[in-house]
Amino acid sequence: MAGPGRPCDDARFSGGSVGLVIGHVSPEAALGGPIALIENGDTIVVDVNSDSLDCTELADPATLTARRDRWQAEAGRNGGVHPLVRTADTRLLRRMRARALPPLQGAGLSVP
């Protein structure tokens, strides 16, 4: 949501939406951030009162460390890029990847 001190972002979903809808786009997963460490079956807790979105499993330091180490090892074996990170093969994707802001900064695009 845009507001004082926050970038103007426009997140639209096609079709109808009822109830809580969460959309997230960020390069942080490609860089090994917390989103990259979430696995199928993990518990995601959304607290609309505190504006937080957390993965229960990543709250355990041992799990967080193991997953981060595994992610970094897989990226290291692939020339520094994780094998699940796709190539930004168009001008638009390259521009978006270069200008995307992390979630804590509004998850929008930075102004050039």
Side-chain angles (χ1 to χ4, degrees):
M1 175 184 295
R6 295 182 67 149
C8 180
D9 51 15
D10 187 1
R12 298 179 186 204
F13 296 88
S14 62
S17 300
V18 177
L20 180 65
V21 177
I22 299 171
H24 182 81
V25 177
S26 175
E28 86 175 41
L31 301 174
I35 292 173
L37 308 178
I38 294 172
E39 296 181 356
N40 287 339
D42 281 355
T43 303
I44 305 299
V45 178
V46 178
D47 186 336
V48 295
N49 294 317
S50 67
D51 285 337
S52 65
L53 185 134
D54 296 298
C55 175
T56 303
E57 288 74 11
L58 295 180
D60 173 43
T63 300
L64 177 63
T65 299
R67 289 186 185 183
R68 183 175 292 132
D69 290 349
R70 185 174 64 233
W71 193 96
Q72 290 172 344
E74 290 176 15
R77 287 191 295 273
N78 194 47
V81 177
H82 194 278
L84 296 179
V85 175
R86 296 183 190 155
T87 302
D89 57 358
T90 67
R91 189 177 74 168
L92 176 62
L93 287 175
R94 285 190 299 272
R95 181 180 293 166
M96 290 180 71
R97 194 170 276 177
R99 294 183 53 210
L101 295 170
L104 293 176
Q105 293 178 358
L109 295 176
S110 63
V111 178

